[in-house]
Amino acid sequence: MSSPGDLPDAELVPKKRWRIPWIWVVPALAVLIGIWLAVQTVLQKGPVVTITFKTGEGLEAGKTKIKFKDVDIGIVKSVALSKDYTRVVATAELTRDAANMLVDDTRFWVVRPRVAGGSVSGISTLLSGAYIGMDIGRHKNVQRDYVGLETPPVFASDVPGRRFVLRSPDLGSIDVGAPVYFRRLQVGQVTSFELDKDGSGVTLNVFINSPYDRYVNADSRFWQASGLDVTLSTEGLKVNTQSLVSMLIGGLAFETPAVSLSWAQAPADTSFTLFQTRSEALRVQERIVEHYVFNFTGSVRGLSIGAPVEFRGIPIGEVSAINTRFDPATGRISIPVEVKLYPERFTSRFASGPKGGRMVSDPKALADMLVAHGLRAQLRTGSLLTGQLYVALEFFPTAKKATVDWSRTPPELPTTPSGLDSLQDSINRIMTRIDKLPIEQLTASAQQTLDNTSRLMQNLNTEVVPQAATTLMAARAALDAAHSTLLPGSGLQQDTTEAIRELTRTAASFRSLADYLQEHPEALLRGKPEDKK
């Protein structure tokens, strides 16, 4: 047994450090790179938006791109139906740089081949396929869910110009993208239209490009420039149109009257009335309008709403309504025609007064005075070709006395029958007189007269005519005898010549006797003395 001193001394051995085996270095690096890539992917991942469309035409998950100004900024990740199966929801991922573009008035639409407003768009998609177009909004509110447009917007939000609102009773031939003209230059487009909620008309939105939008002020007039505007006047036939495009696809035009060119520019979204024709748009806007009624008893066929009311050829108003009225007291039906009169055209001035006259302070008194002097309303033919009628205000001194019925609303002015109505009344009176004639007695008398005439003609044929023929034959024989007697060389002709010669000799003897008696007047008493031997 050994002793403790025989045991070896203990040695202090340091603890070995833990070392990673070289074999684990590569997996560790791979994990680190993966984490770094994941972080980068998360940091660089763009926003995700949902866009709802009516149909999924042209949309494919993983293929359909989103473009802004023809630059790819996103791609559609999935396409699915909405929960109620009425729409298609496209989920798209955009680039990180596009995050600031997603505001509440940003617009999305599917770009595919289209023909609208006289233009063709999206032709390139025939080869590359459809894609989703994008237009940046101007608002600041962030949004991620959008409703896609069914048609592309006419203009981008960054195009300078202003939008205006037009109100019209109907749309006519206007479509989205239809051009807007100013002095025959295309300066804008129709961006949208919709039917009014009450169904009374149509509201159109137009965009006028800069710098032409500065020519629109509060007095500008818009009208439909579709088709041809044909005017027939004393100067001949005039045909006015904006362009061939407006004739084919429709269009609008506007103009500002010369008297208001210096007015301030109209602000954006100003509302205007859309007129049907240029002449109607540029017509003077009346400040004072008075309403009256003309009650006609005859036919108003050919008279339409908007027909002019004229005083000696000057338009002073227009027809606003045509109705019917039944009078239970008389049992008659009349046609009340409501009109709008413009007093500023039918001036209320007298010839006397300082510097051209004075305004009448009492229009009712003036109307009563004019009616008392024979002012009446009469229907007249404005065009023999179309048969259109108009209302003429004229003085008829021989018309029956009448007054203005101020108790009605609107007041009623007296009327007089038209020329055709007067002619028809005259014809009716003549026919009434003819009906009162004893036609049967006149017919019997006429028949008796015809019988007497027939008998007279028969007597002439049987008695007078043969005698007349015999007389004519005797007269012819006498004329033939006279003709043969007067021929040269006939006995009568020779005897006549000899008689004329004898008369000549006799006349010579009388001349000699007259000369002798003139020289020897005593021979009448004593006789002719004998000749001395």
Short mmCIF file of all heavy atoms in Angstrom, two decimals, residues 105-149:
data_model
loop_
_atom_site.label_atom_id
_atom_site.label_comp_id
_atom_site.label_asym_id
_atom_site.label_seq_id
_atom_site.Cartn_x
_atom_site.Cartn_y
_atom_site.Cartn_z
N ASP A 105 -59.87 59.99 -54.29
CA ASP A 105 -60.37 60.28 -55.64
C ASP A 105 -59.46 59.73 -56.73
O ASP A 105 -59.55 60.14 -57.89
CB ASP A 105 -60.56 61.78 -55.82
CG ASP A 105 -59.27 62.56 -55.62
OD1 ASP A 105 -58.35 62.02 -55.00
OD2 ASP A 105 -59.20 63.72 -56.09
N THR A 106 -58.58 58.77 -56.39
CA THR A 106 -57.79 58.06 -57.40
C THR A 106 -58.72 57.16 -58.20
O THR A 106 -59.65 56.55 -57.64
CB THR A 106 -56.68 57.25 -56.74
OG1 THR A 106 -55.78 58.15 -56.08
CG2 THR A 106 -55.90 56.45 -57.76
N ARG A 107 -58.48 57.04 -59.49
CA ARG A 107 -59.38 56.30 -60.37
C ARG A 107 -58.66 55.12 -61.02
O ARG A 107 -57.48 55.23 -61.40
CB ARG A 107 -59.96 57.22 -61.44
CG ARG A 107 -60.77 58.37 -60.88
CD ARG A 107 -61.25 59.31 -61.97
NE ARG A 107 -60.15 60.07 -62.57
CZ ARG A 107 -60.32 61.00 -63.51
NH1 ARG A 107 -61.55 61.27 -63.94
NH2 ARG A 107 -59.30 61.65 -64.01
N PHE A 108 -59.37 54.00 -61.16
CA PHE A 108 -58.87 52.81 -61.83
C PHE A 108 -59.88 52.39 -62.90
O PHE A 108 -61.10 52.51 -62.71
CB PHE A 108 -58.67 51.64 -60.85
CG PHE A 108 -57.59 51.88 -59.82
CD1 PHE A 108 -57.89 52.49 -58.61
CD2 PHE A 108 -56.28 51.51 -60.09
CE1 PHE A 108 -56.89 52.71 -57.66
CE2 PHE A 108 -55.28 51.73 -59.15
CZ PHE A 108 -55.58 52.33 -57.94
N TRP A 109 -59.40 51.86 -63.99
CA TRP A 109 -60.25 51.36 -65.06
C TRP A 109 -59.46 50.33 -65.87
O TRP A 109 -58.23 50.32 -65.87
CB TRP A 109 -60.73 52.49 -65.97
CG TRP A 109 -59.63 53.16 -66.75
CD1 TRP A 109 -59.22 52.86 -68.01
CD2 TRP A 109 -58.78 54.21 -66.29
NE1 TRP A 109 -58.19 53.68 -68.39
CE2 TRP A 109 -57.89 54.51 -67.34
CE3 TRP A 109 -58.69 54.93 -65.09
CZ2 TRP A 109 -56.92 55.51 -67.23
CZ3 TRP A 109 -57.72 55.92 -64.98
CH2 TRP A 109 -56.85 56.20 -66.04
N VAL A 110 -60.19 49.47 -66.57
CA VAL A 110 -59.57 48.45 -67.41
C VAL A 110 -59.37 49.02 -68.80
O VAL A 110 -60.32 49.51 -69.43
CB VAL A 110 -60.43 47.17 -67.47
CG1 VAL A 110 -59.78 46.13 -68.39
CG2 VAL A 110 -60.62 46.59 -66.08
N VAL A 111 -58.13 48.96 -69.26
CA VAL A 111 -57.78 49.46 -70.59
C VAL A 111 -57.92 48.31 -71.58
O VAL A 111 -57.21 47.30 -71.47
CB VAL A 111 -56.36 50.04 -70.63
CG1 VAL A 111 -56.02 50.52 -72.04
CG2 VAL A 111 -56.24 51.19 -69.62
N ARG A 112 -58.84 48.47 -72.49
CA ARG A 112 -59.06 47.48 -73.55
C ARG A 112 -59.45 48.24 -74.81
O ARG A 112 -59.73 49.44 -74.75
CB ARG A 112 -60.15 46.49 -73.14
CG ARG A 112 -61.49 47.13 -72.85
CD ARG A 112 -62.55 46.08 -72.59
NE ARG A 112 -62.33 45.38 -71.35
CZ ARG A 112 -62.93 45.70 -70.21
NH1 ARG A 112 -63.77 46.75 -70.17
NH2 ARG A 112 -62.73 45.02 -69.11
N PRO A 113 -59.46 47.63 -75.97
CA PRO A 113 -59.81 48.35 -77.20
C PRO A 113 -61.22 48.94 -77.11
O PRO A 113 -62.18 48.24 -76.78
CB PRO A 113 -59.72 47.28 -78.28
CG PRO A 113 -58.78 46.26 -77.73
CD PRO A 113 -59.03 46.24 -76.25
N ARG A 114 -61.34 50.25 -77.38
CA ARG A 114 -62.62 50.94 -77.32
C ARG A 114 -62.74 51.92 -78.48
O ARG A 114 -61.75 52.48 -78.93
CB ARG A 114 -62.79 51.72 -76.01
CG ARG A 114 -62.76 50.87 -74.74
CD ARG A 114 -62.83 51.75 -73.52
NE ARG A 114 -62.67 50.99 -72.30
CZ ARG A 114 -63.69 50.43 -71.63
NH1 ARG A 114 -64.92 50.57 -72.09
NH2 ARG A 114 -63.47 49.75 -70.51
N VAL A 115 -63.97 52.12 -78.90
CA VAL A 115 -64.31 53.15 -79.89
C VAL A 115 -65.42 53.98 -79.29
O VAL A 115 -66.54 53.50 -79.10
CB VAL A 115 -64.75 52.54 -81.25
CG1 VAL A 115 -65.11 53.65 -82.22
CG2 VAL A 115 -63.66 51.65 -81.82
N ALA A 116 -65.10 55.24 -78.97
CA ALA A 116 -66.08 56.11 -78.33
C ALA A 116 -65.69 57.54 -78.58
O ALA A 116 -64.51 57.88 -78.63
CB ALA A 116 -66.16 55.85 -76.82
N GLY A 117 -66.73 58.39 -78.75
CA GLY A 117 -66.47 59.82 -78.92
C GLY A 117 -65.65 60.13 -80.16
O GLY A 117 -64.93 61.13 -80.20
N GLY A 118 -65.72 59.29 -81.18
CA GLY A 118 -64.97 59.54 -82.40
C GLY A 118 -63.51 59.20 -82.30
O GLY A 118 -62.74 59.51 -83.21
N SER A 119 -63.08 58.54 -81.22
CA SER A 119 -61.68 58.18 -81.06
C SER A 119 -61.57 56.70 -80.74
O SER A 119 -62.50 56.08 -80.21
CB SER A 119 -61.03 59.01 -79.93
OG SER A 119 -61.68 58.75 -78.70
N VAL A 120 -60.41 56.14 -81.06
CA VAL A 120 -60.12 54.74 -80.81
C VAL A 120 -58.99 54.67 -79.81
O VAL A 120 -57.96 55.33 -79.97
CB VAL A 120 -59.73 54.01 -82.12
CG1 VAL A 120 -59.44 52.54 -81.84
CG2 VAL A 120 -60.84 54.14 -83.15
N SER A 121 -59.16 53.88 -78.76
CA SER A 121 -58.14 53.76 -77.72
C SER A 121 -57.91 52.29 -77.38
O SER A 121 -58.76 51.44 -77.64
CB SER A 121 -58.55 54.53 -76.46
OG SER A 121 -59.76 54.00 -75.93
N GLY A 122 -56.75 52.04 -76.76
CA GLY A 122 -56.44 50.68 -76.30
C GLY A 122 -56.11 49.71 -77.40
O GLY A 122 -56.24 48.50 -77.20
N ILE A 123 -55.66 50.19 -78.56
CA ILE A 123 -55.34 49.28 -79.66
C ILE A 123 -54.16 48.38 -79.29
O ILE A 123 -54.09 47.21 -79.68
CB ILE A 123 -55.04 50.07 -80.94
CG1 ILE A 123 -56.29 50.84 -81.38
CG2 ILE A 123 -54.59 49.16 -82.05
CD1 ILE A 123 -57.46 49.97 -81.72
N SER A 124 -53.21 48.90 -78.49
CA SER A 124 -52.02 48.12 -78.14
C SER A 124 -52.36 46.88 -77.31
O SER A 124 -51.61 45.91 -77.30
CB SER A 124 -51.03 48.99 -77.37
OG SER A 124 -51.62 49.48 -76.17
N THR A 125 -53.50 46.91 -76.63
CA THR A 125 -53.88 45.76 -75.81
C THR A 125 -54.31 44.55 -76.64
O THR A 125 -54.49 43.47 -76.08
CB THR A 125 -55.01 46.15 -74.85
OG1 THR A 125 -56.15 46.60 -75.61
CG2 THR A 125 -54.57 47.26 -73.92
N LEU A 126 -54.49 44.73 -77.94
CA LEU A 126 -54.81 43.58 -78.78
C LEU A 126 -53.68 42.56 -78.77
O LEU A 126 -53.91 41.35 -78.92
CB LEU A 126 -55.10 44.05 -80.21
CG LEU A 126 -56.37 44.89 -80.42
CD1 LEU A 126 -56.43 45.40 -81.84
CD2 LEU A 126 -57.61 44.06 -80.08
N LEU A 127 -52.44 43.02 -78.61
CA LEU A 127 -51.28 42.14 -78.59
C LEU A 127 -50.78 41.89 -77.17
O LEU A 127 -50.45 40.74 -76.81
CB LEU A 127 -50.14 42.75 -79.43
CG LEU A 127 -50.47 42.99 -80.91
CD1 LEU A 127 -49.30 43.65 -81.61
CD2 LEU A 127 -50.83 41.69 -81.60
N SER A 128 -50.74 42.92 -76.33
CA SER A 128 -50.17 42.77 -75.00
C SER A 128 -51.19 42.32 -73.96
O SER A 128 -50.82 41.87 -72.87
CB SER A 128 -49.55 44.10 -74.54
OG SER A 128 -50.54 45.10 -74.47
N GLY A 129 -52.46 42.43 -74.25
CA GLY A 129 -53.49 42.09 -73.28
C GLY A 129 -53.94 43.30 -72.49
O GLY A 129 -53.24 44.32 -72.42
N ALA A 130 -55.10 43.20 -71.87
CA ALA A 130 -55.67 44.31 -71.12
C ALA A 130 -54.87 44.56 -69.85
O ALA A 130 -54.22 43.67 -69.31
CB ALA A 130 -57.13 44.04 -70.78
N TYR A 131 -54.92 45.79 -69.36
CA TYR A 131 -54.29 46.14 -68.09
C TYR A 131 -55.17 47.18 -67.40
O TYR A 131 -56.12 47.71 -67.99
CB TYR A 131 -52.87 46.67 -68.30
CG TYR A 131 -52.79 47.95 -69.11
CD1 TYR A 131 -52.86 49.20 -68.52
CD2 TYR A 131 -52.62 47.90 -70.50
CE1 TYR A 131 -52.79 50.36 -69.26
CE2 TYR A 131 -52.54 49.05 -71.26
CZ TYR A 131 -52.62 50.29 -70.63
OH TYR A 131 -52.54 51.44 -71.36
N ILE A 132 -54.85 47.46 -66.15
CA ILE A 132 -55.62 48.41 -65.37
C ILE A 132 -54.90 49.75 -65.39
O ILE A 132 -53.72 49.84 -65.00
CB ILE A 132 -55.81 47.93 -63.93
CG1 ILE A 132 -56.62 46.63 -63.92
CG2 ILE A 132 -56.51 48.99 -63.08
CD1 ILE A 132 -56.81 46.05 -62.53
N GLY A 133 -55.59 50.78 -65.88
CA GLY A 133 -55.05 52.13 -65.88
C GLY A 133 -55.35 52.84 -64.58
O GLY A 133 -56.32 52.50 -63.87
N MET A 134 -54.52 53.81 -64.25
CA MET A 134 -54.65 54.51 -62.98
C MET A 134 -54.45 56.00 -63.19
O MET A 134 -53.62 56.41 -64.00
CB MET A 134 -53.62 53.97 -61.98
CG MET A 134 -53.57 54.68 -60.65
SD MET A 134 -52.28 54.00 -59.59
CE MET A 134 -52.35 55.13 -58.22
N ASP A 135 -55.22 56.80 -62.46
CA ASP A 135 -55.08 58.25 -62.49
C ASP A 135 -55.06 58.75 -61.05
O ASP A 135 -55.92 58.38 -60.24
CB ASP A 135 -56.23 58.90 -63.24
CG ASP A 135 -56.09 60.41 -63.32
OD1 ASP A 135 -54.99 60.88 -63.66
OD2 ASP A 135 -57.07 61.11 -63.01
N ILE A 136 -54.07 59.58 -60.74
CA ILE A 136 -53.88 60.04 -59.36
C ILE A 136 -54.92 61.10 -59.02
O ILE A 136 -55.20 62.00 -59.81
CB ILE A 136 -52.46 60.61 -59.18
CG1 ILE A 136 -51.42 59.56 -59.54
CG2 ILE A 136 -52.25 61.08 -57.75
CD1 ILE A 136 -50.01 60.08 -59.47
N GLY A 137 -55.46 60.99 -57.82
CA GLY A 137 -56.38 61.99 -57.34
C GLY A 137 -55.66 63.18 -56.72
O GLY A 137 -54.43 63.18 -56.55
N ARG A 138 -56.44 64.18 -56.34
CA ARG A 138 -55.88 65.40 -55.76
C ARG A 138 -56.14 65.52 -54.26
O ARG A 138 -55.62 66.42 -53.62
CB ARG A 138 -56.45 66.61 -56.48
CG ARG A 138 -56.09 66.67 -57.95
CD ARG A 138 -56.65 67.93 -58.60
NE ARG A 138 -56.28 68.01 -60.01
CZ ARG A 138 -56.63 69.02 -60.82
NH1 ARG A 138 -57.36 70.02 -60.33
NH2 ARG A 138 -56.26 69.02 -62.08
N HIS A 139 -56.97 64.64 -53.72
CA HIS A 139 -57.28 64.72 -52.30
C HIS A 139 -56.14 64.13 -51.47
O HIS A 139 -55.19 63.55 -52.00
CB HIS A 139 -58.60 64.01 -52.01
CG HIS A 139 -59.78 64.66 -52.65
ND1 HIS A 139 -61.05 64.13 -52.63
CD2 HIS A 139 -59.89 65.83 -53.34
CE1 HIS A 139 -61.87 64.93 -53.28
NE2 HIS A 139 -61.20 65.96 -53.73
N LYS A 140 -56.26 64.24 -50.16
CA LYS A 140 -55.21 63.78 -49.25
C LYS A 140 -55.61 62.57 -48.44
O LYS A 140 -54.76 61.94 -47.81
CB LYS A 140 -54.83 64.93 -48.30
CG LYS A 140 -54.33 66.18 -49.01
CD LYS A 140 -53.07 65.91 -49.82
CE LYS A 140 -52.58 67.18 -50.50
NZ LYS A 140 -51.38 66.92 -51.34
N ASN A 141 -56.89 62.21 -48.43
CA ASN A 141 -57.35 61.09 -47.61
C ASN A 141 -56.90 59.76 -48.23
O ASN A 141 -57.13 59.50 -49.41
CB ASN A 141 -58.87 61.11 -47.47
CG ASN A 141 -59.37 62.37 -46.79
OD1 ASN A 141 -58.67 62.94 -45.94
ND2 ASN A 141 -60.55 62.83 -47.18
N VAL A 142 -56.26 58.91 -47.41
CA VAL A 142 -55.75 57.61 -47.88
C VAL A 142 -56.91 56.64 -48.02
O VAL A 142 -57.84 56.61 -47.20
CB VAL A 142 -54.69 57.06 -46.90
CG1 VAL A 142 -54.19 55.71 -47.38
CG2 VAL A 142 -53.53 58.05 -46.77
N GLN A 143 -56.86 55.82 -49.09
CA GLN A 143 -57.91 54.83 -49.33
C GLN A 143 -57.29 53.59 -49.96
O GLN A 143 -56.29 53.67 -50.68
CB GLN A 143 -59.00 55.42 -50.25
CG GLN A 143 -60.21 54.50 -50.43
CD GLN A 143 -61.35 55.21 -51.16
OE1 GLN A 143 -61.48 56.43 -51.03
NE2 GLN A 143 -62.13 54.46 -51.91
N ARG A 144 -57.89 52.43 -49.68
CA ARG A 144 -57.39 51.17 -50.22
C ARG A 144 -58.46 50.38 -50.98
O ARG A 144 -58.13 49.44 -51.68
CB ARG A 144 -56.86 50.30 -49.07
CG ARG A 144 -55.61 50.84 -48.40
CD ARG A 144 -54.43 50.83 -49.35
NE ARG A 144 -53.19 51.27 -48.72
CZ ARG A 144 -52.74 52.51 -48.71
NH1 ARG A 144 -53.47 53.46 -49.32
NH2 ARG A 144 -51.62 52.83 -48.12
N ASP A 145 -59.71 50.76 -50.87
CA ASP A 145 -60.78 50.07 -51.58
C ASP A 145 -61.39 51.03 -52.61
O ASP A 145 -61.80 52.15 -52.25
CB ASP A 145 -61.86 49.59 -50.61
CG ASP A 145 -61.32 48.59 -49.61
OD1 ASP A 145 -60.45 47.79 -49.99
OD2 ASP A 145 -61.75 48.64 -48.43
N TYR A 146 -61.48 50.56 -53.86
CA TYR A 146 -61.94 51.43 -54.94
C TYR A 146 -63.00 50.70 -55.78
O TYR A 146 -63.05 49.47 -55.82
CB TYR A 146 -60.79 51.84 -55.85
CG TYR A 146 -59.73 52.65 -55.15
CD1 TYR A 146 -58.63 52.03 -54.54
CD2 TYR A 146 -59.82 54.04 -55.08
CE1 TYR A 146 -57.66 52.78 -53.90
CE2 TYR A 146 -58.85 54.79 -54.44
CZ TYR A 146 -57.77 54.15 -53.85
OH TYR A 146 -56.81 54.90 -53.21
N VAL A 147 -63.82 51.52 -56.45
CA VAL A 147 -64.78 51.03 -57.45
C VAL A 147 -64.26 51.46 -58.82
O VAL A 147 -64.12 52.67 -59.09
CB VAL A 147 -66.19 51.60 -57.20
CG1 VAL A 147 -67.14 51.13 -58.31
CG2 VAL A 147 -66.70 51.16 -55.83
N GLY A 148 -63.92 50.50 -59.64
CA GLY A 148 -63.34 50.80 -60.94
C GLY A 148 -64.33 51.45 -61.89
O GLY A 148 -65.54 51.20 -61.84
N LEU A 149 -63.82 52.30 -62.76
CA LEU A 149 -64.64 52.95 -63.78
C LEU A 149 -64.92 51.96 -64.91
O LEU A 149 -64.06 51.16 -65.29
CB LEU A 149 -63.92 54.18 -64.33
CG LEU A 149 -63.52 55.26 -63.31
CD1 LEU A 149 -62.76 56.38 -64.02
CD2 LEU A 149 -64.75 55.81 -62.60
#
